[in-house]
Amino acid sequence: MSDRFVLAGDRVPAPAEAAQSAPDPVRRGRRSGWRRDGGAGRAAGEAGVARAPRIAVLDGLRLLAALSVVLFHYLAGYGAIPWQRTAAELFPTLHRIAQFGWLGVVLFFMISGFVICMSGWGKSLQQFWQGRVLRLFPLYWVAVVLSSAAARLGPQIPGEPRVTVGQMLTNLTMLQQPLGVGSVDNVYWTLWVELRFYLAFSLVVMLGTSYRRVANFCWVWALGSVLAPGSGIPLLDQLLVPQSAPFFIAGIAFYLVRRAGRIEGETLGILVLSWLLMQHRLPAVMADEGHGINWKVCLTAITAMYLLMGLIALGKLDRIQWRWLPVAGAISYPLYLVHQSLGVRTIGRWNEQWGAWPTLLGVIAGAVLIAWLLHRLVERPLTRVLRRLMAPRPT
């Protein structure tokens, strides 16, 4: 929900820069050079990566995805949000739009496939996992503590089980779902999906990233996600996350497009396959939401995401470098983590006194402010401390 939420300073070459840094055979369009091998050509490509500007538009998309999930949880909860009347009555138009806010998670997963492939390229397995731990866990630990405190000390949500100390401690591992322990906050389910993606992509990082290995990974994962549900092997189904796999695979393929500077036959094939698998899985994903939303609207929205990611991969949106976009990307993850546990309780406590619209706007603004404070006052200093602790010691 992943990496998925923040680029964390990763840089990607613009198509023109990739072409300039690549060997001559690549510029002539041959299937060689840094895009497909692990030798000197790849090193030249890595030099281009280091000089390239930040893909700022991805930061804005992460915040947009986070805000869409926020609206979904605040306005499309179907009784879970304690407004004085139903959200459909209070916000009839916005409620209909918010029903599709869960699609923000789809966008998160696509961006995650792109960014994890980018940030893992050329890294050792240790570097890859250190980066993931530093990116995900500091804010997550704080969010678990805050959400647990809100659940134990704040207003209770109707039907919500009481959070125990043991449950909170288990949640700190981010492994509560496979351990059979309830999440302190329901939004954490996406983090377990992300961790399984990282585990799978670790195989590519361990072998050494190259065009061929990453493309093969996409093909094998796509086929495995088709076979896993009928295999009768629960572990295989857990590892290959069939419902979410098409979104991650699409993101990875778009990063391959980014490195090449154009859409080639194989990457186009991976993208088409991921889209076809996505549309097949979409009814099951929608059924999990349980709201009777329109399949055609969802399919159109996700297809638009594919097109938008294609424009980003081809460098068509590189000129968007607004100064506030990195901040937007930085707060998207903490906003996702804390908006539900804190926001829903605030709505339940104050919406009758404040009124519907002031409460909604105030809670969203408050959640954004808390996210920014968590990024500045918690994530940045805690990440620096953890980075020093995880730094290799001289031998």
Side-chain angles (χ1 to χ4, degrees):
M1 356 179 171
S2 40
D3 42 58
R4 136 173 131 225
F5 303 131
V6 180
L7 270 174
D10 292 324
R11 294 178 179 272
V12 186
E17 292 170 318
Q20 291 167 5
S21 64
D24 285 342
V26 175
R27 291 202 296 266
R28 293 196 297 270
R30 296 178 185 173
R31 292 177 174 265
S32 59
W34 65 269
R35 289 178 295 129
R36 296 178 182 270
D37 63 22
R42 187 180 70 182
E46 298 301 334
V49 171
R51 293 192 301 268
R54 184 185 184 95
I55 308 178
V57 69
L58 285 180
D59 291 309
L61 288 180
R62 273 191 298 272
L63 181 59
L64 178 63
L67 288 173
S68 71
V69 174
V70 169
L71 287 177
F72 175 74
H73 287 147
Y74 289 174
L75 299 180
Y78 293 85
I81 308 300
W83 294 98
Q84 69 268 32
R85 301 200 306 273
T86 66
E89 295 175 299
L90 294 170
F91 311 95
T93 302
L94 193 57
H95 168 76
R96 287 194 293 271
I97 297 172
Q99 291 180 88
F100 299 95
W102 63 271
L103 290 170
V105 173
V106 172
L107 183 56
F108 273 139
F109 287 163
M110 291 180 68
I111 294 174
S112 181
F114 186 103
V115 173
I116 294 306
C117 186
M118 172 176 62
S119 60
W121 202 282
K123 301 285 182 64
S124 68
L125 187 62
Q126 179 183 6
Q127 291 171 327
F128 174 73
W129 274 103
Q130 282 182 350
R132 295 313 96 213
V133 169
L134 289 172
R135 185 64 210 111
L136 287 186
F137 277 93
L139 277 173
Y140 174 74
W141 289 330
V142 175
V144 169
V145 173
L146 287 177
S147 297
S148 300
R152 291 180 65 87
L153 305 176
Q156 293 298 301
I157 300 174
E160 180 187 54
R162 186 172 179 82
V163 173
T164 66
V165 175
Q167 181 184 3
M168 181 194 73
L169 294 175
T170 303
N171 269 245
L172 293 175
T173 67
M174 208 180 284
L175 299 174
Q176 64 272 13
Q177 187 171 333
L179 290 173
V181 175
S183 291
V184 170
D185 193 316
N186 290 334
V187 300
Y188 298 164
W189 72 269
T190 61
L191 302 181
W192 173 233
V193 176
E194 283 283 334
L195 284 178
R196 286 180 281 173
F197 166 45
Y198 299 165
L199 182 63
F201 196 75
S202 293
L203 295 175
V204 181
V205 175
M206 184 169 55
L207 295 173
T209 47
S210 67
Y211 174 91
R212 182 72 274 140
R213 287 178 181 137
V214 172
N216 286 344
F217 172 78
C218 291
W219 291 117
V220 171
W221 191 9
L223 178 60
S225 70
V226 172
L227 299 177
S231 67
I233 305 175
L235 178 61
L236 193 61
D237 198 54
Q238 279 288 313
L239 290 175
L240 297 180
V241 283
Q243 288 192 0
S244 303
F247 310 126
F248 291 113
I249 291 170
I252 294 171
F254 281 123
Y255 180 64
L256 294 180
V257 172
R258 179 78 184 194
R259 291 188 66 88
R262 62 180 181 273
I263 298 179
E264 297 181 325
E266 185 171 20
T267 47
L268 178 61
I270 294 171
L271 288 168
V272 170
L273 177 60
S274 74
W275 187 92
L276 292 173
L277 293 179
M278 174 276 296
Q279 64 82 32
H280 173 73
R281 299 286 187 193
L282 188 55
V285 175
M286 292 170 56
D288 288 343
E289 301 304 324
H291 304 318
I293 46 184
N294 189 287
W295 177 83
K296 292 181 179 179
V297 174
C298 294
L299 182 63
T300 301
I302 297 175
T303 302
M305 295 177 195
Y306 271 72
L307 296 175
L308 182 59
M309 290 296 294
L311 292 176
I312 294 171
L314 293 171
K316 302 300 183 182
L317 303 180
D318 284 358
R319 292 185 178 181
I320 300 177
Q321 293 290 331
W322 302 325
R323 295 181 62 181
W324 59 269
L325 286 175
V327 178
I331 68 173
S332 60
Y333 183 38
L335 176 62
Y336 179 83
L337 289 176
V338 303
H339 76 273
Q340 181 163 272
S341 60
L342 302 183
V344 169
R345 287 176 171 80
T346 304
I347 291 172
R349 174 65 179 83
W350 295 106
N351 76 96
E352 290 190 22
Q353 292 94 321
W354 294 352
W357 276 102
T359 299
L360 177 64
L361 296 177
V363 168
I364 292 175
V368 170
L369 176 60
I370 291 172
W372 181 79
L373 291 173
L374 288 173
H375 166 64
R376 290 298 300 267
L377 304 180
V378 176
E379 180 184 27
R380 290 168 65 172
L382 187 54
T383 299
R384 285 195 294 267
V385 172
L386 289 175
R387 183 175 286 113
R388 287 196 297 269
L389 293 174
M390 296 171 67
R393 298 181 181 275
T395 57

